[in-house]
Amino acid sequence: MSKAAKRREARREVVGPTKKQIRLSRREAQQRRLILLFTVVVAVLVVGILGFGLLNEQVIKPRQPVAIADGEEISTAAFQARVRFARLNLIAQLRNIYQQAQDPQLQAIFQSYMQGLLNQLNDPTQVGRDVLNQMIDEVLIRHEANRRGITVSAAEVQERLEQQFGFYRHGTPTPTATATATITPTATATPLVTNTPTLTPTPLPSPTGTLTPTATLAPTAVITQTATPFPTFTPFPTPTVVTEEGFKELLAQQLELWRSINFTEADYRKLVEAELYDERLREVFNRDVPTREDHIMGAWMAFETEEGAKAVLDRLSQGEPFDKLAGEVRARTIVSATTGELPWTPVVDLAPRFGDEVQQAVSSTAAGQHTNIIAGSGNLWYIFNITGHEERDLDPQTLRQRQNDHFQQWLDDQRSTKVQFMDYWESRVPQDPAVPLDLVNAIQSAQPALPQEFPTPLPQQTP
């Protein structure tokens, strides 16, 4: 190669890429950087969205309130734990009742009760609503108790907790006749502490339809659950008193069972504390309820037509005894009428059965007299014969009913002014634990009893 050719070759090696090649190279590098940046941004967004979703579900949402009672928030986490705890106990009650229903004499009674429990469990929103109302009541009661100087110590909670599991640190109490049952677990028990059920008045039925003579009728009242939705069922006797070690073993078994629903010992202790606050505040409210009321005793006749009532009133005015005319009603000599006896009854309890006009007329009628014709409930005309009228002590059942009505009225007033529900609370209601399918099938097909594989609930306290 000549010297000139060598110099040209050397110049080509020194010159390098052309301007066009440089532009293309830079453009490609810029595109690679943009692609890399876009990939990083997308990855960050994806991770951020997933991270926020996880943060929202695990941290933010559990801390959000589902309701605010008297300024105190009820968190989603606490609410969901209580709903799961309630569902677990409802399932346990269902299983216990199923076991008892294997007695042919009781099967028909228990079948409708079991179906009611199944319907309740199949309505998660209603279970959630009842639990949330209960939690709200607990807050209102605790706040009011604290305002009145009522407190519950950790030692008192511990003692009640031990008693619920059958351990009495200071000796077994002597049994007494009382309407309050101690919550006591068995080796596989699932304790359930709820607000004390309240006694609500049951309106006495008004005669309706075709009237026929009746036997002596007396006012009645039944215990119904108002603060809590969950039915109470006590199929087994109270277990033998346990030792301290036995108590610890039972508690450990319960904690292991509750771990599956994220219900902790602290959660249960709050339930026990709420129970104690409820009892003590009720004691204070009970002192405000009068123990004596105006009572009447006698008998009544009710007529489908005002003319029929006038005919009997005319005979009473002529001196015929009330008992004689009531006997004719029972014998159907006097038709389109019915009669009944009235044992000692608080005057204020007449209105739900007979109507306000009857209550007002009877309250001003002295013993030994009969009323005029009174237009009462059910489009009926009444005549009352009063054989006793005086102020008397309320019987224990009626007094408890009055006390619970008084307390419930206070709670209702508090709820109307101090409670706020979050719009999203229904979406936070859990639907687990579900009723075991084999239990559902067994109940619906009335198969033989299942093995003891479901938790046993504890009897709830009653007033």
Side-chain angles (χ1 to χ4, degrees), residues 150-229:
I150 300 172
T151 59
V152 174
S153 68
E156 291 168 331
V157 171
Q158 177 66 24
E159 182 177 5
R160 176 61 62 87
L161 176 63
E162 292 171 351
Q163 292 172 359
Q164 289 174 355
F165 282 81
F167 172 54
Y168 296 89
R169 186 175 296 275
H170 305 294
T172 307
T174 302
T176 57
T178 175
T180 302
T182 302
I183 299 177
T184 48
T186 60
T188 58
T190 303
L192 175 58
V193 178
T194 65
N195 276 353
T196 306
T198 58
L199 288 164
T200 55
T202 299
L204 299 172
S206 302
T208 57
T210 302
L211 296 175
T212 57
T214 61
T216 300
L217 299 178
T220 60
V222 297
I223 299 176
T224 59
Q225 295 272 11
T226 58
T228 176

Side-chain angles (χ1 to χ4, degrees), residues 95 98-102 439 442 446-452:
R95 197 274 306 166
Y98 175 76
Q99 294 293 335
Q100 295 296 305
Q102 301 316 301
L439 177 59
Q447 294 296 325
L450 294 173
Q452 296 282 344

